[in-house]
Amino acid sequence: MRSKVTVVGAGNVGATAAQRIFDRGYADVVLVDIVEGLPQGKALDIQESGPVLGSDATIVGTNGYEETAGSDIVVITSGIARRPGMSRDDLLLTNMRIVSSVVSEVAEHSPDCVILPVTNPLDAMAQRAYQVSGFPKSRVVGMAGILDTGRFRTFLAEELSVSVNSIEAYVLGGHGDTMVPVVGSTTVGGIPVANLIAADRLEEIVQRTRDGGAEIVNYLKTGSAYYAPSASIVQMVEAILFDKNEILPCTALLQGEYGINDLFVGVPVKLGNGGVVEVVEFDLNDDEMAALKHSADAVQELVEVMASNES
């Protein structure tokens, strides 16, 4: 029996994630959106690719949540996207209300699922999903660090003309301007990256990683990234469904780890059956720890803004 994955939001990120999951054939997919006809049309188009790709999975589009009942994983991508000149934080209150509504429906129809928030600002939306759902902390885990780490590895591989598979790296912290590429633990074929790239050039690559989403937004003008985000979603989905116990940078609730309490922040987690199996604590140097706490403070500010604007 195939697993069941729901993707809420049939925009570029959600529809592409749904397509990638369907293509692999291990899960039936439900694509949800409030726009009448949009999820139905995209789902039908994806379904008709099944014979070509050899996928016997099913995918249905809907404007409601009845079809999502009993989902193993629910990915939440719904919300307004960034436009040029907007920060992820500019989306806060509008997306808070959207995510709150979605999570209420999800918790009712799939009370045993794992929720994967993707909507920006990611860390704050994960916090909101946790509060509204009432789920245990293990079953709410946000997608951000995999994407940010993917960008970091891409830029390093380009700089050194090596395979991306030779780059071992993690990006921690909030999914925004305060994210923390952990340079001290980054290696290329086992060699510390600081031994291969001059410090000033390395800092430029770190900054490009922080600006990675904005760079794409500025190119597209009317949209934001979706190919790399959707691939990152699928890596998390597979780690959970196949109980891989894979260590991945994700947004998880910290309760004392890294000296941070009761806040969703990007950290390495062991991801497997049921969501977060455990938070993995890396040894960070003083600068990296300070940067992570600074990033957590930025997330805390957003959480406080949400709390003061609850209706």
Side-chain angles (χ1 to χ4, degrees), residues 156-179:
L156 290 173
E158 288 178 350
E159 180 73 13
L160 295 169
S161 297
V162 300
S163 167
V164 293
N165 295 316
S166 299
I167 310 289
E168 181 75 19
Y170 286 88
V171 177
L172 310 184
H175 184 50
D177 297 337
T178 62
M179 69 180 68

Side-chain angles (χ1 to χ4, degrees), residues 12 17 24-25 84 109 114 134 263:
N12 286 335
R24 285 159 169 79
H109 289 88
V114 177
L263 194 66

